[in-house]
Amino acid sequence: MGRPLDLLLRGGTLVDGTGAPAREADIAVVNGRIAVLPVGAPASAVETLDVTGRVVAPGFIDVHTHSDALAIPPGAGGATEPIDDLRLAPLLQGVTTEISGNCGTSLFPSLPHRLPGLAEHLRVTFGLGPVRPAVDFDGFAAGQDPALRHTHIASLVGHGTLRAGVMGFEARPPRPDELDTMCALLDRALAQGAAGLSTGLIYPPGTYADTEEIVALAGVAARHGKPYVTHLRDEMSQVESALEEALEIAVRSGAPLQISHHKTAGRYAWGATLRTLPRLERARAEGVDVLCDVYPYTAGSTVLHAMLPPWASEGGVGALLERLRRPETRDRIRTDIAQGVEGWENTVGNGGWDLISVAAAPSHPEAEGRSIADLAAEHGVDPVDHACDLLLAEQGEVTIISHSMREDDVRRVIASPLSMIGSDGVPKPGRPHPRWAGSFARVLGRYTRDEQLLPLESAVHKMTGLPAGRFGLTGRGVVRDGALADLVVLDPASVRDAADFDHPLLAPEGIDTVVVAGRIAARGGRPTSARAGEVVRIR
């Protein structure tokens, strides 16, 4: 008699991640691998779960997170306060693998001497205390504490981190030797298993890079067969020209192109998805390997200093804070927001300070959840002055939520066959965007079941098989014999997001069981003691 199975899921409906029609099947797990069995096949297991009336799917893959530092131990550059609820949020909505290092910021690589400003930049970005950059992907992997890892994590190489680690925060093109060094560091990290190259072209120092610099670096990713993942230079009034730049980089470098959190935000870009999505489809028909991801909300979230013109951040966080003390700097910021600056996204100019609310301000929790406009009025000051004062008081560490999109644009991107789902979660203490805890359940409940925007099989494919193929996650994203045993069991009739802007970390309903590396990591919607997540190396 053979060894019993470790786990047997009996009587469920299998949605296997390929987009194929759902079917009845029993799912077995043994030695961390999956076997698909006929319904009712004779089998014995250490644990058997009756999942009748439930859907069994591959564990969800969150292709866009900023959770790089969540599993770094306190005192080693990680959180300085308890953040268990932040660590658990993805798991409890069925996510088993996260891809970090997005928008140009990763925890690696840099030259060993770490130019001044990079550690401060990472502290402000991740908001979990002092963060020390790693020299390479191996260093990043070694810094992840298995005791804190509920989910698997892969990481892109952030161009902004790469640039800052080689040439600091200078607004100029790199010298040939600096570009060669960046290419060599990127090549090494990709060879060690990093997932691709990311840019955040609205964020200093990434915003200081021209197209030629990015083409050179994306060419390194192309040689490894890994994607170029980009937060476009503009997602607002100039989104179409920014999209053309990204397509040019893909064509010239040969790298697969992933458009991060595709949106057309701000009143001057509302409705532009009617043009951007057909443009992506045409490019794909012409041979460009382009896809995108999307989160299911009309509000975004980022750092407050990204609302300021790029010149304000030249030299890094310290230089920014010194400038903000000067009245003439604030006057120039006001003028640039009112008049615009060529090549700058200008979120406030495209919307207004009333649409910008504070998500995290560690020393001023009373500001969290309130708009900059309201806070400024309460203090009797101009909104630019209040924003600058808050940045100074928090040493630059302020996160915001920007209500900038329109629902019809969001729906079009979700429904597009080119899109996959990513939370763009910014897991900081305070009042973070609810997408960190709700994105996947929101797509399954609101957009799939309630609004019937897309079939369940398509929604699951966008969360599993499609991203696994894009990022080379071999053995993940599809339920088939021999696949890695990352699974989620959900109730299609009740699954829904519960998190909102007032209660951003509420766990969703209808996510029953989550299996990570063959171990039950969540049961009945609650976490177990299992810590089976690991760093994923993509070869």
Side-chain angles (χ1 to χ4, degrees), residues 242-316:
L243 186 59
E244 291 302 326
E245 180 192 30
L247 290 168
E248 177 188 347
I249 291 166
V251 169
R252 291 176 59 193
S253 69
L257 173 62
Q258 180 79 9
I259 305 297
S260 293
H261 43 57
H262 184 43
K263 65 175 76 73
T264 55
R267 60 181 178 268
Y268 302 115
W270 287 338
T273 53
L274 290 168
R275 298 183 297 278
T276 61
L277 292 171
R279 178 67 183 100
L280 294 179
E281 290 167 3
R282 286 199 309 276
R284 196 164 174 84
E286 294 164 359
V288 181
D289 183 3
V290 59
L291 296 169
C292 66
D293 51 76
V294 60
Y295 51 82
Y297 297 86
T298 57
S301 183
T302 188
V303 287
L304 177 58
H305 66 264
M307 303 299 100
L308 308 181
W311 58 261
S313 293
E314 186 176 357

Side-chain angles (χ1 to χ4, degrees), residues 10 21 25 61 69 116 119 150 171 183 203 242 262 269 295 320 336 340 349 369 407 443 467 471-472 479 499 506:
R10 285 275 197 198
I61 298 168
H150 296 276
C183 287
Y203 300 115
H262 184 43
Y295 51 82
L320 166 69
D336 285 354
E407 178 68 16
V443 170
F471 290 97
V479 177
L506 286 179

Side-chain angles (χ1 to χ4, degrees), residues 147-411:
L148 301 177
R149 280 243 65 89
H150 296 276
T151 62
H152 307 301
I153 190 168
S155 182
L156 301 159
V157 180
H159 161 254
T161 298
L162 188 64
R163 196 178 211 272
V166 172
M167 55 184 292
F169 286 77
E170 297 184 38
R172 61 172 177 83
R175 300 188 307 265
D177 63 303
E178 291 171 330
L179 183 57
D180 288 346
T181 299
M182 285 193 279
C183 287
L185 288 172
L186 174 60
D187 182 72
R188 178 180 180 182
L190 293 172
Q192 291 172 340
L197 169 70
S198 83
T199 57
L201 298 180
I202 74 161
Y203 300 115
T207 191
Y208 306 139
D210 61 18
T211 303
E212 296 300 319
E213 177 181 331
I214 308 302
V215 168
L217 292 165
V220 178
R223 292 197 293 274
H224 287 266
K226 294 179 178 180
Y228 167 54
V229 181
T230 181
H231 180 145
L232 298 173
R233 205 175 290 273
D234 196 316
E235 296 177 314
M236 293 190 161
S237 61
Q238 300 301 311
V239 63
E240 292 173 77
S241 61
L243 186 59
E244 291 302 326
E245 180 192 30
L247 290 168
E248 177 188 347
I249 291 166
V251 169
R252 291 176 59 193
S253 69
L257 173 62
Q258 180 79 9
I259 305 297
S260 293
H261 43 57
H262 184 43
K263 65 175 76 73
T264 55
R267 60 181 178 268
Y268 302 115
W270 287 338
T273 53
L274 290 168
R275 298 183 297 278
T276 61
L277 292 171
R279 178 67 183 100
L280 294 179
E281 290 167 3
R282 286 199 309 276
R284 196 164 174 84
E286 294 164 359
V288 181
D289 183 3
V290 59
L291 296 169
C292 66
D293 51 76
V294 60
Y295 51 82
Y297 297 86
T298 57
S301 183
T302 188
V303 287
L304 177 58
H305 66 264
M307 303 299 100
L308 308 181
W311 58 261
S313 293
E314 186 176 357
V317 174
L320 166 69
L321 297 177
E322 182 59 34
R323 286 189 188 100
L324 295 185
R325 300 180 192 281
R326 305 171 193 157
E328 61 270 25
T329 297
R330 299 183 181 201
D331 289 341
R332 184 180 172 190
I333 289 170
R334 268 185 282 273
T335 298
D336 285 354
I337 288 173
Q339 297 181 358
V341 174
E342 184 176 359
W344 174 43
E345 185 174 79
N346 194 6
T347 299
V348 177
N350 279 277
W353 286 111
D354 57 317
L355 300 179
I356 307 297
S357 61
V358 177
S363 301
H364 295 78
E366 72 281 358
E368 293 169 355
R370 302 188 61 195
S371 75
I372 295 292
D374 285 348
L375 290 166
E378 183 177 282
H379 287 81
V381 298
D382 178 83
V384 167
D385 287 314
H386 186 77
C388 293
D389 290 343
L390 191 57
L391 283 166
L392 286 167
E394 298 289 354
Q395 289 296 294
E397 191 179 322
V398 184
T399 307
I400 58 93
I401 290 170
S402 171
H403 297 270
S404 58
M405 287 164 271
R406 209 167 65 178
E407 178 68 16
D408 59 341
D409 285 314
V410 173
R411 288 169 58 88

